[in-house]
Each structure stands twice: as C-alpha cells, then as structure tokens.
Amino acid sequence: MKGALKHRTLSAAIVDQLRQAILDGTYPAGTQLRQDALGDTYGVSRIPVREALFQLEAEGLVRIVPQKGAIVSELSLDEINDVFDLRRIMEPRLLAQSAPHFAEKDFAGLDDIQARFEKAIKARNVSEWGQLNADFHMALYVHARRPRTKAIVVALLQTSDRYTRLQLSNTKAMGTAEQEHAHLIALCRAKEIDEACRFLEQHIEAVRADLLQVVGGGMIAARA
C-alpha cells in the first residue's frame, strides 16, 4: 500500500510540473512528449510518467496519438466555447449559493488574492496569473455545497488557464480583469447577489469573446 501511495504521489508531482510547463509555453502546442525522455528528466521510470500523461489527456492539455504517443494539444476555438459555455452555466449558480454566507474572513481572503493578482500583473509574472485567477474564482464559491460541480469547475479553470494566459498577455485585458474582479468583490460585500451573478456571467462571456478573437486571429496569422 505504501508503495502504491508513493507511486501515485510521484505521478501527481509529475502532472503538476508538466501542466505548468505546458501552460507557460515550455512545451508549446504540437510538442511530442516522449515517456523515456521525461523519465530521464524527472529521474523516474516510465510508469508514473505514463499515468501523468493520461491525467493531462483527461484535462485536455495533451492528446495520446497511436504510434506517436503524447502530443501537446493545439489551441482550439471549439474547446474555448465548450469550456466557457459550462463555466457560464455553473459558476453563477455556485456564487448564488456561496455569496450569502460570506463572512469578513472570506472577504479578507478575496482581497488577499486580488492584491496578489494585481502584484503579479504589475510584475508581468505569467506563471502566477492563471493560478491566482483560478484561486479567486474558487474562493467565490467556497460556501457552495455542490462538491461535484466545484470539482468540474476546478477542471474547467485548469483547462481555461492556458487560454486565460493568452487573454491576459496584453495590458488592456490585464486591467479589465483586475477591475472586474474588484467589482465582483464589491457587489458581494454589498449583498447584491443577483447582480453579482449577472456580472460574473458577463465577465465569463467577455473573457470568452476576447479569447476567440485572440486565438482565432492567431490561427489566421499562422495559416497566412
């Protein structure tokens, strides 16, 4: 049992490192991830690497292709629409259930994440943007008693992280995200829950629209 637990822990650590490497562009779209090379990199056998790649496939970050192995997934307009359709449905529902129960410690936590998010933006610390964005959203849903829905949203945020980093790669988008997060906190503090949920839906839709433009434009440029 201890061996199995250690093995799963090792695989999870590799998942975290590979996910980060894909999100920060170390392994760009189309990169082949060879199990033997990754095993050498991490100093492990191919078994935990293979399990890590299967997990990343489930998250949509890699594709397992016969005869080729694992390949970092291309950016996809269909995936953006799929992920953001689900986020638009699920996240306002979670906020509606969570926000009425916010206490001052919850707002303190949101303010702390917001401050770190603003600091990362000013420092252009790409590695922190996506995680802090996900942390902020999940902090909004902390009191929602919907564990399965929250688990799905965590996975959706992990998938959208890759795209969100693209969306936040320009100054205007960074400033907009900062302002909209602050407005969400203000609405929740004022107990304007219905308006907060409507604004959250608008926020998710605005990010989707921006991403479709950024990714779609990039695809057109690549084909030109």
Side-chain angles (χ1 to χ4, degrees):
M1 181 61 73
K2 286 185 178 180
L5 179 59
K6 181 178 179 181
H7 184 72
R8 287 195 295 271
T9 302
L10 184 59
S11 178
I14 295 171
V15 168
D16 289 341
Q17 293 190 44
L18 281 176
R19 183 192 295 118
Q20 184 64 35
I22 292 170
L23 293 175
D24 67 20
T26 300
Y27 296 128
T31 300
Q32 185 175 5
L33 301 175
R34 294 176 52 239
Q35 292 182 26
D36 54 351
L38 290 172
D40 290 341
T41 297
Y42 296 118
V44 300
S45 71
R46 295 174 60 177
I47 296 174
V49 172
R50 182 168 63 248
E51 292 180 355
L53 292 173
F54 283 139
Q55 175 61 38
L56 292 171
E57 181 185 35
E59 294 178 12
L61 291 175
V62 305
R63 294 179 295 115
I64 306 296
V65 181
Q67 311 303 322
K68 291 185 178 180
I71 297 175
V72 177
S73 299
E74 302 288 338
L75 300 174
S76 165
L77 298 180
D78 287 339
E79 183 175 54
I80 290 172
N81 282 317
D82 193 14
V83 167
F84 280 81
D85 277 345
L86 291 170
R87 287 188 58 190
R88 184 188 62 187
I89 293 169
M90 294 181 173
E91 292 189 46
R93 292 179 181 176
L94 291 174
L95 181 61
Q97 189 174 85
S98 177
H101 303 288
F102 281 165
E104 190 52 43
K105 66 177 182 179
D106 298 309
F107 288 115
L110 286 165
D111 289 340
D112 177 66
I113 295 171
Q114 176 73 352
R116 287 187 286 132
F117 186 70
E118 293 171 2
K119 184 177 179 180
I121 286 174
K122 290 176 182 176
R124 300 193 66 81
N125 190 338
V126 179
S127 66
E128 290 189 21
W129 290 347
Q131 185 58 55
L132 288 170
N133 182 67
D135 289 346
F136 177 83
H137 279 262
M138 293 311 300
L140 290 173
Y141 318 139
V142 64
H143 293 297
R145 298 175 64 181
R146 294 289 184 272
R148 292 193 179 187
T149 302
K150 287 200 284 188
I152 292 170
V153 169
V154 167
L156 293 172
L157 287 167
Q158 286 178 342
T159 300
S160 62
D161 184 9
R162 188 181 183 197
Y163 295 97
T164 301
R165 292 179 190 226
L166 277 177
Q167 189 248 354
L168 290 174
S169 62
N170 68 79
T171 304
K172 181 180 178 181
M174 288 189 291
T176 299
E178 180 181 332
Q179 293 167 12
E180 291 184 355
H181 284 186
H183 189 54
L184 275 168
I185 295 173
L187 288 172
C188 291
R189 279 189 183 275
K191 299 190 181 301
E192 296 181 17
I193 309 304
D194 290 343
E195 179 58 29
C197 292
R198 283 192 291 270
F199 187 77
L200 176 59
E201 184 173 352
Q202 293 169 11
H203 170 68
I204 293 169
E205 274 299 320
V207 174
R208 183 227 295 263
D210 202 9
L211 281 172
L212 290 173
Q213 184 176 17
V214 171
V215 176
M219 289 179 173
I220 292 172
R223 291 196 295 267

